[in-house]
Structures are given as C-alpha cells and as structure tokens.
Amino acid sequence: MKTWKTTALAVAAVVGTTSVAIAQEREQIRIVGSSTVYPFASYVVEEFGATTNHPTPVIESTGSGGGMRLFCEGVGVSTPDITNASRRMKVSEFDRCMENGVTDITEATIGYDGIVLAQSTDNDPLALTREQVMLAVAAEVPQDGELVDNPYTNWSEIDASLPDREIEILGPPTTSGTRDAFEEMVMEESSEALGYPEEYTDIRADGVYVDSGENDNLIVQRINENADAIGVFGYGFLVENTDIIQAATIDGVEPTPETIGSGEYPVARSLWFYIKEAHEGVIPGIDEYVSLFMDPVMIGQDGLLKDEGLIPLPSDALAEWSDRVENRVNLQRSDLGG
C-alpha cells in the first residue's frame, strides 16, 4: 500500500479501444448507494475517521440504482470507489461497468435486512398479506378476467378485516434497491395467486403510493405526522424508531432478527457493497476501510452494527465472504446469473 501526503489519482481507464489517463488529487474515499445500507456504512465511516490517520470518507445516499450508475461510469476520481446496495448488482449494471472500464470489482455481503411496512404506534396492530399489499399498490388489478385501473382507496375495500382507513403508502423511488426488492418479493410473488396473466410490478401513480425519495428518516417523520400513512423501508429504521412506529406482520410473520435471518419473514434480503479495485492503492485507505467493515467487530454475531439493526450473517457465511473480500475475488457475470 502506498503512503500519500497529497493523493494523486493516475488511473488508465479503458473505454472501448480508447485509453484515458486521469490525474487529479483526491484524499477521501467516496462512497455512494443504498439508503438502507447508509446508516451501517455511516457508522463504519465515522469509526474509520476516528481511529485511523485517513480522512473521514464522503458518503452519499443515492439509492442502490443511483449508486450503481455512478460506480459504473468509469475509473477515475470523478467516480466513486465503493457503492452500497440493498440488492445484488444486476447483470445489466455489470455489463455497463465492463463497457466503461470498471473490470475488476469485489462484491461483499454484510448481513440481512427485512423490508417492513410500518405505521404509527397510535394505531392498532396491523396484519397484512403480500396479496393485500399488492392490491393496495398495483397500478392495475384483475377483475372479471381483465386488468382494470386500481379502484381501491381504502384498506377495508380490499378486505373487510382490514381497517376502515385511507390507503397512503410512503415508499422508495425507482432508484432504490428497496423498491426493486419490494417489487420482486411482494408484487411478483403475489401476481399468479391474484390472477395476473404474468408477473406484474407496475406501481400506481394516482397519489396513493407516494414516492418519498431516498431519505427513510423523512418517511418515519411523515408517519409520525399522519397516522393513516404506511411506510416502506428497511428494518434498521424500525429499530431506531420503535417509540413512534410499529411494523405490520406480513403473511402472519413479524419482522425480527430471528425471522429475517432465517428467511421465515417473507420480505427479507441481503445487503451488499462493491469495491472498485482499480482505485485501491491510489485513493488512500480503501483497503483499511473495507477490512474494518468486514471485521466481526462490526458485522459479526455480536458486532456493533447489530445494535443499529443489521441482521448478522451466520458465522460460516461471514468467514466465507470475508475470505472472498480479503483476497479480492473478482465478481463474474455468471455470479449474477448472466
């Protein structure tokens, strides 16, 4: 590892057949990506800044999709070194990285998270099924063998057992990995049972579903102000705000560390980050930051991030992923199902 007083990034990025040399100063690690991973990564960022001789990294909550776009733009100081994600990299994103010269990528899994549907603690407990949630958020619903514009504006219209309450769902935008996972694990999984002709993921745009950006704390604030609203976000934000919000059960299962870690909770997913290997040894501190994040002190069974709402990996899985990251095993297209 090189020692730098003033960091000069000089990286050759190959785009097609053109070699582009970039040289510019940057001393701080730049991290982008998932709003769900953001609180965990921010904790590591602050600890890294306080316990090493490196400056505190710059971290932005751009959403998983937004982070992937920035990460895959190319190699050089204008692009991030690391991107966080609340779902795995897509094949299309991997291909874009390769096309733009980001050819050596290390993938890391840090633990599990559950997507919760949370409401104000002023309400009675709420029990939902994925099918009911689908009928609340879908742009169209099946009726008499065809798809019609979603007519539901009240939960009791979907099922008489649900509260007589206006449907207002505060959820993530299209750039969010939480949105991707929600569409896959709730909407796609419910489509066949509800009579859709194929997997359906179009979310209604009539004001019932409110795109609330990448700031999950803002969703929590809005729930606190509006007892009718239901927010969609990661389990970690529930843990931080149990005094004002409570989670609905989904298909009869409450989101807890145990049900999320075991997969019993039906809307559970893995959390990730991706390292641009070409920036290592050039931007100072990347190796140390990655090692700190993957340390059991942070993400182990009794790690510091468990108190922040991260659901730890089993010990054998953590050891396997730590070994892959330490050895900088390059991500392959086939790893992503491509």
Side-chain angles (χ1 to χ4, degrees), residues 201-273:
T201 59
D202 291 347
I203 289 181
R204 61 197 302 180
D206 57 359
V208 172
Y209 180 95
V210 181
D211 181 332
S212 299
E214 296 291 354
N215 187 344
D216 291 344
N217 282 313
L218 182 59
I219 297 179
V220 173
Q221 179 183 330
R222 289 177 175 172
I223 293 172
N224 192 38
E225 295 168 351
N226 177 8
D228 283 346
I230 291 177
V232 179
F233 44 76
Y235 176 77
F237 285 90
L238 174 70
V239 171
E240 293 177 1
N241 297 280
T242 52
D243 56 328
I244 57 174
I245 59 174
Q246 59 178 323
T249 60
I250 303 296
D251 294 343
V253 182
E254 180 184 355
T256 67
E258 293 73 26
T259 61
I260 293 169
S262 68
E264 181 186 358
Y265 183 67
V267 201
R269 43 43 186 299
S270 299
L271 301 179
W272 312 78
F273 70 86

Side-chain angles (χ1 to χ4, degrees), residues 130-132 134-135 138 140-142 147 182-202:
R130 281 179 287 181
E131 287 82 5
Q132 290 168 344
M134 173 69 162
L135 292 176
E140 299 170 297
V141 297
L147 295 182
F182 177 84
E183 291 176 358
E184 176 185 346
M185 292 188 286
V186 174
M187 301 184 75
E188 289 182 9
E189 287 296 321
S190 303
S191 296
E192 182 178 356
L194 288 171
Y196 285 87
E198 56 187 2
E199 291 179 345
Y200 188 92
T201 59
D202 291 347

